[in-house]
Amino acid sequence: MATGQQNLPHRQLTGDSDNEAIPDTDPSDTSSLLLERLQAWKHACGYLQDYIKETEKVEKAQGKEYERVLKSVSNPLKEGHHFDQNLGGIAGLFENIRSNTQGIVNSHLEAEKNLKGSVLPILERLHVEIKNKTKELSKGAVKGSKEVDKARNNTQKYIELLGQHTGSFSSSSGKLDASNDPYILQRGVKHRLQKQVLEENNNRHDLLAVQDSFQQFEAHVIQTIQQAMTAFLQCVGGQSERQKAMYSDIIANSQQVPLDFEWKGFVQRNNNTLIDPSVPQRTVSNIGFPNQNHLATQPLIAGSLERKSRAALKGYSTNYYVVTRSKYLHEFKDDSDFKKDPTPELSLYLPDCTVGGITGATFSVKGKDSSKGKVGSALAMSHELNFRAHTPSDAEKWWGIIRNAAGEATFTSSTPSSPTDSKAGSGQQMPPPRHQQQQQPAPLQTHNVPRTGTQSSAGTSQSAGDIPISGGAGKPHMNTPTSASAGLKSGVDRAPGQY
């Protein structure tokens, strides 16, 4: 105790203040200073209480905010059937997010309860202790200071009275009342001074006791604050660690999803709808459609011919020509169905045309172009078109089929089939009338059949079948125009072949 008192700072008196009857010092200064210090500690404790209360409110608000976050993923995934519902996938990841987010909500609410139930009571008790210490100081040391002030006032009155009558003693030549005798007054001052000093010493002892207890009390205050802050760290820091662990679990779960997990499951669930990579690609040659091989779709003859331009200087140009069973002679740039839409550059309806004679590898057809529609055909002029085949035998084939198509008044074909009907074979043939069979000369031989005559050379074309030549086999007609009612019909209704 003595050591504690030696280390305490104390007020040093200067001059002769200790020898004066009424010191200049105020006995209440020490008690006021100590009361002010207790007030400072009480306010510091109050600040910490407010901090904990606001943190408690924040934790409660954070719990509500995370409940809003949880609502954002509470509904099932839209189009959820696209995701594998087993653990380890995206659906499992969202379940993990929901679970950990709910854990974060609970951690904030738990932290709020712990702050309110564990940390705040510590500071509230400390606040009460500081207030009790203030009351103790007010009742003890402050009361003693008041008694000192009262004793000093009484001493001061007698000192003033002694001074008054000592002055009267000098002016009245020593004749004074007995009660005002300076001797009596001087003894009265000593009496009251003794009482004053006693009160001052008692007050000093009380204040020293309070000073000595302040060191221990402040140590207790600081220790209590440290205890409260440790509990605060356990609540807030523990919540923060749990939240960090939950977020880490979400991230780890998302990183563990195999890159092909969802796709493999999706393919397995939808293998009947998705494209099988092992199935070969479609090709036009393998595709069938209704009436694909109908007789009307098979050309009588097809191949390349040269047509003389109307301009004298341009000469002949090579194009692809087809004679159809609809009795049209169509001209195309080439025989490709895929480069562009196969729209004819020129179309001649052969029954309305005049077929000229054949000279070597050349022959002519005169008629109107009907490829521009009804209006265009009505306005079109009739032109004579000169063709040249690759060989005279090819020219003979073309000329014979064109002549026969131009001479027919009607065309007999099979009835078109519906999409459910079986497709007609490409080799279907219509037999010619009996009287025509009797009138026809020996036919030309077709592809893959041994010929007795001369084989055609470089240029090739496609024909519908055996092509009759009027006037005897192997002898072309020269410069003999054919009308719509003349000519032979043999070979018009037969399947195509290669020449």
Side-chain angles (χ1 to χ4, degrees):
M1 192 72 176
T3 304
Q5 291 181 357
Q6 291 176 0
N7 295 332
L8 284 174
H10 57 277
R11 183 174 62 248
Q12 297 288 341
L13 297 178
T14 59
D16 298 331
S17 59
D18 270 349
N19 298 326
E20 294 178 356
I22 307 298
D24 295 336
T25 60
D26 188 351
S28 62
D29 289 346
T30 301
S31 59
S32 299
L33 180 64
L34 294 176
L35 285 173
E36 184 179 359
R37 185 166 182 82
L38 287 174
Q39 194 75 5
W41 279 113
K42 186 175 71 172
H43 288 157
C45 182
Y47 284 172
L48 286 176
Q49 285 179 278
D50 293 340
Y51 179 81
I52 300 300
K53 288 179 181 178
E54 292 301 321
T55 306
E56 172 196 341
K57 293 178 181 178
V58 169
E59 292 293 340
K60 185 176 181 179
Q62 285 288 337
K64 293 182 178 180
E65 291 297 323
Y66 272 99
E67 286 180 350
R68 293 176 57 187
V69 174
L70 179 60
K71 287 181 180 179
S72 66
V73 293
S74 60
N75 295 326
L77 288 172
K78 294 182 179 179
E79 294 84 25
H81 60 278
H82 280 272
F83 301 100
D84 199 320
Q85 300 303 313
N86 296 323
L87 295 178
I90 296 300
L93 171 62
F94 276 92
E95 287 298 327
N96 182 268
I97 291 175
R98 295 185 189 100
S99 175
N100 283 293
T101 305
Q102 182 63 58
I104 293 174
V105 172
N106 296 337
S107 69
H108 281 289
L109 297 178
E110 183 180 355
E112 181 256 338
K113 291 180 181 179
N114 290 335
L115 289 174
K116 187 176 182 179
S118 300
V119 181
L120 271 178
I122 297 175
L123 295 176
E124 289 173 351
R125 289 193 295 269
L126 178 62
H127 197 95
V128 171
E129 290 179 10
I130 295 174
K131 291 177 70 175
N132 292 336
K133 188 71 174 179
T134 303
K135 291 180 180 179
E136 178 185 347
L137 180 60
S138 298
K139 290 181 180 180
V142 174
K143 184 178 180 180
S145 298
K146 290 180 179 180
E147 293 294 332
V148 171
D149 288 337
K150 183 178 179 182
R152 284 182 178 180
N153 289 333
N154 289 334
T155 303
Q156 182 66 27
K157 288 180 180 179
Y158 263 80
I159 290 173
E160 292 176 354
L161 187 61
L162 176 61
Q164 178 183 355
H165 288 287
T166 54
S168 298
F169 173 78
S170 299
S171 60
S172 60
S173 301
K175 187 178 180 179
L176 296 171
D177 293 335
S179 59
N180 294 327
D181 188 343
Y183 173 78
I184 300 299
L185 294 176
Q186 188 261 352
R187 292 187 64 179
V189 168
K190 287 184 178 180
H191 173 74
R192 286 164 179 76
L193 187 60
Q194 175 65 27
K195 188 176 181 180
Q196 171 191 333
V197 171
L198 180 62
E199 294 291 341
E200 288 177 346
N201 289 334
N202 289 336
N203 184 55
R204 181 177 182 274
H205 288 311
D206 291 340
L207 292 177
L208 282 174
V210 171
Q211 285 184 185
D212 293 340
S213 65
F214 252 70
Q215 183 177 4
Q216 297 179 358
F217 181 73
E218 288 191 4
H220 169 69
V221 170
I222 294 175
Q223 185 178 12
T224 305
I225 291 175
Q226 292 174 345
Q227 179 184 355
M229 296 310 294
T230 301
F232 174 76
L233 176 62
Q234 291 177 352
C235 293
V236 180
Q239 185 279 327
S240 178
E241 290 295 329
R242 289 193 297 273
Q243 180 170 335
K244 180 180 178 181
M246 292 173 187
Y247 275 126
S248 299
D249 184 65
I250 293 174
I251 300 303
N253 190 276
S254 65
Q255 298 296 325
Q256 292 173 0
V257 177
L259 300 181
D260 58 350
F261 179 83
E262 290 294 342
W263 177 251
K264 286 183 177 179
F266 174 73
V267 171
Q268 184 177 3
R269 293 189 302 272
N270 300 275
N271 56 352
N272 294 329
T273 305
L274 295 174
I275 298 174
D276 187 355
S278 61
V279 176
Q281 296 183 1
R282 279 162 44 99
T283 58
V284 176
S285 59
N286 295 331
I287 297 175
F289 50 88
N291 299 313
Q292 177 182 7
N293 296 319
H294 190 272
L295 184 61
T297 65
Q298 309 304 316
L300 297 174
I301 189 170
S304 60
L305 291 175
E306 295 178 349
R307 180 167 66 86
K308 187 176 183 181
S309 176
R310 294 173 190 156
L313 298 178
K314 290 187 177 180
Y316 285 88
S317 59
T318 302
N319 294 290
Y320 186 77
Y321 293 89
V322 178
V323 178
T324 68
R325 296 180 182 271
S326 299
K327 306 172 188 177
Y328 276 98
L329 172 62
H330 295 297
E331 175 187 289
F332 300 91
K333 290 292 185 182
D334 52 43
D335 62 345
S336 175
D337 293 333
F338 311 124
K339 292 181 180 179
K340 63 177 183 178
D341 191 11
T343 304
E345 304 290 333
L346 173 70
S347 294
L348 298 177
Y349 186 56
L350 294 176
D352 294 341
C353 297
T354 301
V355 181
I358 181 171
T359 303
T362 62
F363 59 93
S364 63
V365 178
K366 185 176 181 180
K368 292 182 179 181
D369 181 11
S370 58
S371 62
K372 304 300 187 293
K374 293 183 178 180
V375 178
S377 299
L379 299 177
M381 300 293 292
S382 180
H383 297 282
E384 183 175 359
L385 306 177
N386 296 307
F387 297 96
R388 184 171 65 186
H390 298 284
T391 63
S393 60
D394 285 346
E396 190 175 322
K397 298 169 190 175
W398 278 95
W399 180 82
I401 292 177
I402 291 173
R403 181 171 175 270
N404 290 336
E408 287 184 352
T410 59
F411 174 69
T412 304
S413 64
S414 60
T415 304
S417 61
S418 65
T420 58
D421 293 339
S422 60
K423 300 173 183 179
S426 61
Q428 184 177 356
Q429 298 179 353
M430 295 294 294
R434 181 174 301 174
H435 68 277
Q436 291 184 6
Q437 294 177 358
Q438 296 174 356
Q439 295 176 2
Q440 296 301 326
L444 294 175
Q445 294 176 342
T446 59
H447 182 63
N448 293 330
V449 178
R451 289 184 167 228
T452 58
T454 304
Q455 295 285 346
S456 61
S457 56
T460 61
S461 60
Q462 297 177 356
S463 171
D466 298 336
I467 309 302
I469 305 300
S470 300
K475 295 181 181 181
H477 291 266
M478 304 300 291
N479 302 324
T480 305
T482 305
S483 65
S485 61
L488 301 178
K489 301 180 180 179
S490 176
V492 174
D493 297 330
R494 296 190 181 183
Q498 296 289 334
Y499 293 91

